[in-house]
Amino acid sequence: MTIHAQPVDTHAELEPSAASEPSALKTLTAPFSAFGSDLYGLYTLLKQTLQAIARGQVDRESLVAQCYSVGNGSVLFITVTMTVLGMIMVVQSGLQTQRVIPELSLLGANIIQLLAREFAPTVCAMMLATRVGAGIAAEIGSMVVTDQVDALRMSGAQPVAYLVVPRFIACVVMLTALTFWSLFVALVAGTFAANTVFDLNVSTFINFSFVGMSDYVVMILKAVVFGMAIPIVSSQRGLTTFGGSEGVGWATTNAVVHSSVAILLLDLLLSIFGYLVFPPL
Amino acid sequence: MSETVRSETPFGLIVPERMGKAVLGIAEQVGGMGVLTGQLVARMLPPRIDRFELIRNMHKMGVRSVGIVSSTALFTGGTIIIQAAPLVVRFGATAIIGWAAGFAMLREVAPLLIALMFSGRVGANNTAELGTMVVTDQLDALRALAIDPISYLILPRVISMIVMLFALNVIGDLVALTGAVIGANALLDVDFALFMDSFLTMLEAWDFVLSMIKSLAFGVMIAITSCYFGLTVTGGAPGVGRAVNSSVVAAAIGIFVMDYFSTFVLK
């Protein structure tokens, strides 16, 4: 079980001195050329992780620890951001609706659908990628640069099964749970904002008439896929760390950025898929 | 030391003590950011900036982020159309989809997401760099050479983050618009002319100005947060990791809160 060494794409960033003269064309095209090899590495890691899960190689103790640090540790952060997001959405879409039609009685119904299909899973996942993705890459990356991963391999433990699998399962389970929580939090905050800013009744605002099973299916699908993307991208960044503690810093930054971009790309694909296969009511 | 203090706390006071510590910690961070802002403003009158550092940082933070910001904006533009589609179809308002998508995109989604990506890429990296310098005593070395770390290291970073997020937001808005046009064409059969017609006639210049004001505010937020957390690192390499994490988290919360107030105040 080997982890494929990735072609080095961050050399230029590690040596910012005179050797790499700033060239706009080079810096603009570099991300795209590295994209292909990254994609193959991600596919390999996902395959190895799923194989390890299928063989039942799950360390239960570290799974519980990871679930706690991914899920419970993020509740406060997610609650704060989702409260503000719910209020922003109500104010913004209320202002926008008022320009077309003067009455806002359907505002709540539309916002609940939009939250379920789009903003609850996506923003929650982006926040989790910031907090958890950075942590995963930093932990695994510092183990790599201090040769602890090689030590694991030498003592017969498989790094993927030991390091990636618990984080993978924890992220999938906890992101799904946190998505439901953020839907609830954003809804409560949005109701409050609608009541204070636009004088909408609670009973008018909370209107589930546009929300059907298909919206929840899209929401859970998104949460599960994002929950798989964050640990895979971040672990891959961590496992391909090189260049000491500075390299760990780069791996951490890249983990956050790459998982966020992955989330946004998957969001677009899943939204198209959801629109065509599970159309909104 | 702290262990003994904790064991002496009566059981009923554990929760209030923790809450008090958290409040004091937040107050300390906000105050520290305020002091740092004051120091930076003092260096600006008259401006004493290291020009080479400024250009180097602008290239590193701005030009190297164009790819990330463009892909973010492209995906976002497409997603907005898909999410707006059921609303537009429900109200039979295909003619105004250009305005509907453009309004939400310019005023809210594009500046917010671009700022979050910028914070993840540039802000986190900035904290890590400054933090590493602090724990290896490089800032003290600068001071020993009579070089002011604030005007040599911090001010160029802060200025280039603010300027570059502003510039990236212009690019991002444009790319997001492209994504929305492609999405509307592919998914809703709205052709380019119809989309641009409602986009150009119904949107006001203020919508674009608001987008830029927001990106300026987010840029200041990210710059101050990431520099502050980088400068106050303690505890070696693990401390740098912790500082990066709390810097990104604080910047995200700050961006969201600031976004709410700017949406609410600058209607």
Side-chain angles (χ1 to χ4, degrees), chain A residues 174-187:
Chain A
M174 283 304 165
L175 183 56
T176 314
L178 283 171
T179 301
F180 278 100
W181 171 244
S182 38
L183 179 65
F184 173 74
V185 170
L187 194 56

Side-chain angles (χ1 to χ4, degrees), chain A residues 43-250:
Chain A
Y43 165 73
T44 318
L45 186 59
L46 180 63
K47 201 177 74 182
Q48 289 173 347
T49 310
L50 292 177
Q51 278 170 351
I53 294 174
R55 281 196 301 267
Q57 294 172 326
V58 183
D59 182 1
R60 198 158 298 172
E61 228 169 86
S62 77
L63 176 63
V64 173
Q66 287 298 329
C67 280
Y68 182 81
S69 88
V70 170
N72 300 36
S74 308
V75 169
L76 186 64
F77 179 42
I78 297 278
T79 307
V80 172
T81 45
M82 282 299 158
T83 307
V84 186
L85 182 82
M87 289 159 74
I88 293 172
M89 274 186 70
V90 168
V91 174
Q92 169 73 18
S93 39
L95 289 176
Q96 185 162 7
T97 315
Q98 273 179 339
R99 304 207 172 179
V100 192
I101 40 175
E103 58 107 35
L104 294 172
S105 58
L106 287 178
L107 181 69
N110 284 321
I111 280 190
I112 294 171
Q113 190 190 41
L114 208 55
L115 266 176
R117 285 188 90 93
E118 174 67 28
F119 286 100
T122 310
V123 177
C124 184
M126 282 192 71
M127 293 299 108
L128 208 70
T130 311
R131 210 191 142 268
V132 174
I136 292 176
E139 279 169 19
I140 298 184
S142 27
M143 292 183 81
V144 169
V145 296
T146 51
D147 298 331
Q148 292 180 49
V149 172
D150 291 336
L152 273 180
R153 217 174 273 143
M154 269 183 63
S155 49
Q158 289 169 357
V160 171
Y162 188 76
L163 293 174
V164 183
V165 167
R167 291 174 168 82
F168 182 82
I169 300 177
C171 276
V172 173
V173 174
M174 283 304 165
L175 183 56
T176 314
L178 283 171
T179 301
F180 278 100
W181 171 244
S182 38
L183 179 65
F184 173 74
V185 170
L187 194 56
V188 172
T191 312
F192 173 74
N195 204 336
T196 51
V197 180
F198 297 115
D199 284 330
L200 276 178
N201 272 334
V202 175
S203 54
T204 320
F205 185 80
I206 298 192
N207 177 354
F208 283 91
S209 59
F210 287 162
V211 189
M213 212 52 222
S214 61
D215 298 315
Y216 294 115
V217 171
V218 171
M219 178 173 116
I220 295 170
L221 186 70
K222 280 188 176 177
V224 169
V225 173
F226 298 160
M228 290 161 79
I230 296 170
I232 291 294
V233 174
S234 312
S235 307
Q236 205 251 358
R237 292 290 89 192
L239 287 169
T240 53
T241 305
F242 64 97
S245 59
E246 200 186 351
V248 177
W250 273 110

Side-chain angles (χ1 to χ4, degrees), chain B residues 79-148:
Chain B
T79 314
I80 283 182
I81 285 292
I82 297 164
Q83 301 304 342
L87 300 175
V88 170
V89 172
R90 199 173 289 151
F91 293 116
T94 338
I96 60 162
I97 184 145
W99 168 77
F103 190 86
M105 205 168 61
L106 286 182
R107 290 178 75 120
E108 201 63 52
V109 185
L112 185 66
L113 281 179
I114 290 170
L116 287 176
M117 293 306 287
F118 192 79
S119 159
R121 189 188 181 282
V122 176
N125 187 42
N126 183 45
T127 309
E129 257 184 38
L130 286 178
T132 313
M133 287 184 177
V134 169
V135 296
T136 51
D137 297 331
Q138 292 181 45
L139 256 67
D140 292 335
L142 281 179
R143 272 193 209 102
L145 294 168
I147 298 170
D148 178 19

